[in-house]
Amino acid sequence: MNTMQDYDDATAFLGHWGPFQQSVFFLLGASILPNGFGAFSLVFLTDMPSHHCLVPEVNLTQEWNEAIIPIKVVNGKQELSSCSRYRLDVVRNLSAQGYIPGRDVNLTDLEQEDCVDGWSYSKDIYRSTIVSEFDLVCGEQWKQPFTSTIYFLGVLAGSFISGQVSDRFGRKPVLFATLAIQTIFSFVGIFAPSWTVLSIILFISGLGQISNYVSAFVLGTEILAGNVRVLFSSLGVCMGFALGYMMLPLFAYFLRDWKSLLLALSVPGVIYLPAWWFIPESPRWLLTQGRVEEAEAIVRHAAKKNKVEAPQVLFEDYNYEHYNVFYLLRTTNIRNTTVTLCLVWFTVSIGYFGLSLNTSRLHANPYLSCFIAAAVEVPSYISSWLALRYLPRRLSVICVLLLGGVSLYFVQLVPQGLSYLSIALEMLGKYGLTACTSLIFVYTAELYPTVLRNTATGVCATLSRVGSCIAPFVFELSVYFKYLPYIMLGTLAIVSAFATFFLPESFGRPLPQTIEQMHKKER
């Protein structure tokens, strides 16, 4: 028997879908739920309520009280100015002398001043958000999208570290450590005294967020086999995410202030801790570390749970070499694959997060639009699961990218009155990009060998996080030209579809274990 006897063959006797695999499948799927509402809670936490200058309690007549906030025309609609008021001392004098605004005094001639006494925020939708708590408006308005960027910078750092860390310390410790970080720091955020402190806390919570997702994904991919592996890596993980995402508007609807929302989001992590005793470490990983006895113990325990007989000798001598990030650029073949995959990951991520964070602007009701954006994920994950079962990877990735890119291009052609049509196109774009997220995760895992798989997924994820850091600002570009964000995302998607054309196909071939096997695939 060869020294590199295949792990899948060695554990084939377990079957694919016994009690052991079921418990791993559902527990890991559940660990993804907090990621779904964690990532997009920012839509509600950082939403900007309508606001205008606070006018302190001074004796003003009824008319002056109503007239002190200037009226501006925004997009053809009259609105109260949100960043200025007529000078209070001037207005107070005019009011005391009995002048009436608009009759005795021409308002346009009056001098205006900034909101020196702070702001008054509309409580129609939220009791409070981070914006109203720390006054991230007017001169400080750049901090609002930047809050999301800081969070995603944490996610970026996390995806960079987590691949390396879980290759070193194991999938399971990293899964639980990062879940704990995510939970603790969501909770601590409630007590933040200032925006700066809150940003640091959000950064750390973002660190835990992605590492937890990647560890769960890799752990499941390594323990499960065959069709169940495909089911887990496309539907299991993603449905966990989409369910968490769909729960978010529900939580946010009943908890209208940001502190209670953060508190509610940190609860599931605590409930999840007992799962430590039910989720095993990845036997594949233990073997790469030379810890054969531990790997055997886990597989024998699984055999007992599935009520099957384990053979006397499970794993013959395994020997792995260790590789680092630079192996991903070593040969032309690997380099081309890595660069192309990174481009696709970047595109999918900037589009997916850009469109998801834009939901509060889609429709008058942020809860409804967040729910629609989340619900779109369900059919897109189901179709990507079907595509993963029956279609070549390369073809499916190219098709969903083109679908997403083209529908975003068409948004600009929609006439003004048909806002529902443009929302539908935007959601079709999100459908394409979301389907691509789960396809590209699996495609990447199939192209790289076990010794590089986590590192490769980590590097691609890192590039995609660069995309998500930029995402909060993508829709700010609409200030310059309304449809610029859609044109930019559409172009990226179409370019990536073209690049995917040059990737090798991995459909229906065994997972490569060594770098040599990876090369064999490509010829």
Side-chain angles (χ1 to χ4, degrees):
M1 187 180 283
N2 73 354
T3 47
M4 256 314 287
Q5 165 215 23
D6 195 354
Y7 176 83
D8 284 344
D9 298 341
T11 56
F13 70 91
L14 281 175
H16 283 173
W17 189 237
F20 170 71
Q21 285 95 342
Q22 287 163 11
S23 75
V24 169
F25 187 98
F26 290 114
L27 282 172
L28 286 177
S31 82
I32 304 278
L33 279 172
N35 293 328
F37 44 73
F40 298 116
S41 59
L42 291 162
V43 169
F44 297 108
L45 296 175
T46 67
D47 206 359
M48 190 176 289
S50 51
H51 50 276
H52 58 78
C53 293
L54 189 64
V55 181
E57 294 291 320
V58 288
N59 283 333
L60 292 180
T61 59
Q62 180 71 33
E63 292 97 351
W64 277 109
N65 243 332
E66 285 163 12
I68 189 165
I69 307 292
I71 288 176
K72 287 198 311 203
V73 177
V74 183
N75 292 335
K77 289 197 285 283
Q78 287 197 334
E79 285 178 11
L80 290 177
S81 161
S82 43
C83 293
S84 57
R85 64 179 188 196
Y86 294 119
R87 276 194 48 184
L88 189 60
D89 47 356
V90 176
V91 169
R92 202 200 262 141
N93 279 338
L94 292 168
S95 169
Q97 289 165 20
Y99 290 111
I100 291 175
R103 197 188 73 188
D104 311 325
V105 182
N106 191 357
L107 288 177
T108 43
D109 302 339
L110 287 182
E111 202 183 328
Q112 298 188 6
E113 63 183 355
D114 291 339
C115 299
V116 279
D117 297 300
W119 287 264
S120 149
Y121 293 92
S122 148
K123 295 221 176 4
D124 294 347
I125 300 183
Y126 306 102
R127 274 207 295 277
S128 71
T129 70
I130 294 175
V131 174
S132 63
E133 179 88 15
F134 300 119
D135 288 333
L136 310 182
V137 289
C138 302
E140 306 275 282
Q141 189 177 342
W142 60 274
K143 291 181 176 174
Q144 187 235 356
F146 195 58
T147 311
S148 305
T149 296
I150 290 176
Y151 177 79
F152 286 117
L153 282 170
V155 173
L156 168 70
S159 56
F160 203 64
I161 309 164
S162 66
Q164 308 278 327
V165 174
S166 70
D167 280 344
R168 175 76 46 81
F169 299 106
R171 317 310 196 206
K172 181 179 166 178
V174 174
L175 174 67
F176 281 90
T178 53
L179 195 69
I181 290 176
Q182 204 180 328
T183 304
I184 293 164
F185 281 91
S186 288
F187 179 69
V188 173
I190 299 170
F191 305 105
S194 68
W195 178 75
T196 316
V197 176
L198 183 70
S199 299
I200 295 167
I201 290 170
L202 280 174
F203 177 86
I204 299 172
S205 137
L207 252 173
Q209 211 266 351
I210 182 69
S211 318
N212 160 259
Y213 184 89
V214 170
S215 319
F217 178 85
V218 171
L219 187 54
T221 313
E222 294 186 339
I223 291 180
L224 304 166
N227 279 337
V228 178
R229 176 194 298 140
V230 174
L231 182 69
F232 173 77
S233 51
S234 52
L235 269 192
V237 172
C238 303
M239 279 305 181
F241 191 85
L243 278 172
Y245 188 1
M246 283 154 79
M247 282 156 60
L248 169 71
L250 193 71
F251 272 93
Y253 182 76
F254 290 108
L255 305 167
R256 296 294 179 105
D257 61 302
W258 68 277
K259 290 186 173 177
S260 351
L261 185 58
L262 268 185
L263 181 63
L265 297 185
S266 58
V267 172
V270 182
I271 302 172
Y272 196 73
L273 288 177
W276 174 269
W277 286 275
F278 301 98
I279 292 181
E281 179 52 274
S282 154
R284 265 182 212 263
W285 177 79
L286 290 166
L287 291 170
T288 63
Q289 301 298 304
R291 290 155 65 175
V292 182
E293 295 80 27
E294 292 172 66
E296 291 211 348
I298 289 171
V299 175
R300 290 189 191 284
H301 172 71
K304 210 166 72 187
K305 229 173 153 180
N306 283 357
K307 301 188 173 54
V308 289
E309 198 59 45
Q312 292 297 295
V313 178
L314 272 176
F315 303 116
E316 311 249 317
D317 39 341
Y318 261 73
N319 47 3
Y320 280 93
E321 294 167 52
H322 283 277
Y323 300 97
N324 62 9
V325 175
F326 299 107
Y327 266 86
L328 298 177
L329 303 168
R330 207 62 181 277
T331 63
T332 330
N333 259 339
I334 299 191
R335 191 164 48 238
N336 293 348
T337 302
T338 306
V339 171
T340 307
L341 283 171
C342 284
L343 171 71
V344 179
W345 279 72
F346 173 79
T347 302
V348 167
S349 173
I350 192 172
Y352 174 73
F353 285 101
L355 293 168
S356 301
L357 292 169
N358 188 42
T359 49
S360 58
R361 302 182 196 184
L362 271 186
H363 188 277
N365 180 341
Y367 303 102
L368 183 66
S369 51
C370 179
F371 183 78
I372 292 171
V376 162
E377 305 210 348
V378 178
S380 78
Y381 289 136
I382 290 175
S383 48
S384 65
W385 168 63
L386 291 170
L388 286 168
R389 287 220 41 188
Y390 303 113
L391 297 174
R393 307 291 181 240
R394 196 169 52 189
L395 176 73
S396 351
V397 171
I398 291 174
C399 289
V400 290
L401 279 172
L402 286 176
L403 171 74
V406 171
S407 48
L408 289 177
Y409 258 120
F410 281 152
V411 170
Q412 56 186 313
L413 303 178
V414 176
Q416 205 70 51
L418 298 172
S419 64
Y420 284 103
L421 182 57
S422 60
I423 291 179
L425 281 172
E426 192 168 328
M427 287 300 119
L428 190 61
K430 182 164 190 261
Y431 165 86
L433 291 167
T434 307
C436 194
T437 13
S438 70
L439 290 174
I440 201 73
F441 238 114
V442 177
Y443 195 9
T444 306
E446 288 180 344
L447 285 176
Y448 290 99
T450 302
V451 282
L452 277 176
R453 187 167 303 123
N454 216 351
T455 308
T457 313
V459 168
C460 289
T462 301
L463 257 125
S464 82
R465 295 311 143 200
V466 174
S468 56
C469 291
I470 303 170
F473 287 97
V474 168
F475 277 86
E476 305 285 322
L477 291 175
S478 58
V479 177
Y480 304 108
F481 170 52
K482 196 176 168 191
Y483 299 110
L484 192 57
Y486 299 104
I487 294 172
M488 185 179 120
L489 296 176
T491 309
L492 272 171
I494 289 164
V495 170
S496 304
F498 182 70
T500 308
F501 198 70
F502 299 101
L503 284 176
E505 184 50 73
S506 66
F507 181 52
R509 302 178 181 161
L511 279 183
Q513 299 268 356
T514 60
I515 288 196
E516 297 76 62
Q517 287 176 344
M518 177 174 179
H519 290 319
K520 277 197 217 100
K521 278 179 138 169
E522 308 209 354
R523 286 211 189 98

